[in-house]
Amino acid sequence: MVRTPRALTLKLFDHHIHTERSDGTVSLAERANTVAVRPHGVSDHFPWPGKMRNDDDVLRYLDDAARLGLRVGLEYDLGVAPPLRASTRAALHYMIGALHQIEVDGVRIPFDEAGAFLKGKLASFSERERFSDGALARRIRERMLEVVRESFARDGIDILGHGTMSPLAALGDPERAYPGEWQEQLIQLCLDADVAIEVNEAYGVPHQEFLQRARRMGARFSVGSDTHGLLAPLDKTGAMIEAASLPVDRFLAGERVRAAR
Ligand SMILES: [Zn+2]
Ligand SMILES: [Zn+2]
C-alpha cells in the first residue's frame, strides 16, 4: 500500500466546490482563476430554488463553466432531487450525491443544524437528546442506506458526498452513532456501484475508522473541500488522509472512472 504524503494530498483534485450558481458566494469566472492554485472543479447544488431547477438550468451551468475551462459536477440532493435526463448526467464530468435531510416514517429530518455544528459554526447541537434515542437513530441509519441505495441505482452518482454527515454524527462519537456493521453496509453500496467516498473538509467526515474500513474494503475516494467561499487549504483533509493511510491512487481526478449511467 502506498502512503499518501501531504504534498501529494494537496495536489489531489477537489471535486466539491460551490459557486453563486447555487449557495456559494464566488462566481464561475473567479473559480476558473483558482484552478491554478490547486486543481478543482465546481459542483453546485441540484436542485436549488430559482437557480438549478431542471435539466436546462444544469446544461446552461455546464456550458458556462466548461467554457471557462472548469470541470463540472453537481451536488445532487439524494432522496429529494428530481431525476435528470441520462443525456444531462452523461454531459457532466461527475456527479456527487449527498444527503441533506432524511424522511423517517413521514417526518422530515433536516441535517442543517447538525451540519452547522460539525462545521464549527454553532457552539452546541440543540437536538442532542432527540437523536440520542436508540430507536430513532436506528431508523435514520436504515433510511440513509435505503435512500443511498435507491439513488445509486437510478441517478448515476460517482461520489458519495459527506456520507456520514447527519444529526447522528453531531452526537460526537461516530463509532457509537454508526455501528461498524452499518458502516460496512454503506461502504459496500459504494463498492457495488463503483461510487467514490468523499473525504469532506468542511464537515470533517467520514471519521477515521470509517475511512480505514473503506480503505481495507478497497473503496475509491474523492477530495471535497465543500467550500462556498474562498478556496482554502485542505488541512483537515490532509490529516484525515494521512491518519487513515488512504492511497493516492484510489482518488478520483476530476472525471468519472466508469461510463455515465
Ligand atoms: Zn452538501
Ligand atoms: Zn456542498
Side-chain angles (χ1 to χ4, degrees):
M1 189 182 61
V2 192
R3 262 180 75 91
T4 304
R6 189 64 64 97
L8 276 180
T9 294
L10 302 178
K11 292 205 168 79
L12 289 171
F13 191 95
D14 181 355
H15 298 79
H16 193 152
I17 298 224
H18 295 278
T19 79
E20 59 188 13
R21 299 298 278 267
S22 64
D23 60 345
T25 56
V26 176
S27 70
L28 284 177
E30 290 169 274
R31 286 298 189 216
N33 286 334
T34 52
V35 168
V37 178
R38 57 179 177 79
H40 70 78
V42 290
S43 56
D44 276 291
H45 291 281
F46 177 78
W48 196 256
K51 294 184 172 182
M52 290 277 208
R53 296 158 298 190
N54 49 38
D55 287 79
D56 287 349
D57 286 346
V58 171
L59 290 172
R60 199 173 317 113
Y61 169 64
L62 170 61
D63 277 357
D64 293 348
R67 198 175 301 129
L68 294 164
L70 286 159
R71 307 290 294 170
V72 191
L74 282 183
E75 183 177 9
Y76 189 85
D77 209 343
L78 296 182
V80 174
L84 288 165
R85 290 196 292 266
S87 55
T88 303
R89 296 200 303 267
L92 290 159
H93 299 123
Y94 55 86
M95 288 266 278
I96 301 171
L99 284 166
H100 298 98
Q101 59 202 297
I102 199 92
E103 199 181 303
V104 175
D105 306 325
V107 178
R108 180 182 169 273
I109 297 176
F111 289 5
D112 308 52
E113 202 214 340
F117 174 68
L118 288 168
K119 280 184 177 176
K121 291 183 174 172
L122 290 176
S124 65
F125 178 47
S126 75
E127 297 204 284
R128 181 172 297 279
E129 206 170 320
R130 177 185 179 200
F131 292 106
S132 299
D133 176 73
L136 177 62
R138 193 178 61 248
R139 284 294 292 138
I140 291 173
R141 291 193 299 267
E142 287 168 1
R143 288 289 297 139
M144 287 173 77
L145 293 178
E146 279 170 17
V147 172
V148 166
R149 184 183 298 114
E150 280 165 23
S151 183
F152 282 4
R154 188 191 73 174
D155 300 320
I157 302 298
D158 302 291
I159 297 164
L160 178 63
H162 49 71
T164 56
M165 191 277 284
S166 85
L168 303 183
L171 297 176
D173 182 356
E175 272 297 283
R176 202 168 150 202
Y178 296 116
E181 216 171 276
W182 182 91
Q183 295 177 39
E184 284 166 11
Q185 285 178 280
L186 182 59
I187 294 162
Q188 192 62 49
L189 287 177
C190 294
L191 290 174
D192 292 345
D194 207 356
V195 167
I197 292 167
E198 178 183 83
V199 181
N200 185 286
E201 172 83 18
Y203 298 110
V205 298
H207 62 287
Q208 183 176 327
E209 290 87 346
F210 183 101
L211 291 174
Q212 287 169 333
R213 283 186 178 94
R215 187 242 303 147
R216 288 196 297 265
M217 289 171 71
R220 295 184 194 276
F221 298 96
S222 167
V223 166
S225 66
D226 207 352
T227 183
H228 291 69
L230 290 178
L231 192 74
L234 293 168
D235 292 343
K236 215 188 282 176
T237 301
M240 289 163 78
I241 289 173
E242 250 176 44
S245 303
L246 305 183
V248 67
D249 61 359
R250 295 300 288 165
F251 278 80
L252 298 198
E255 55 195 51
R256 46 174 65 95
V257 288
R258 50 169 173 71
R261 51 181 183 217

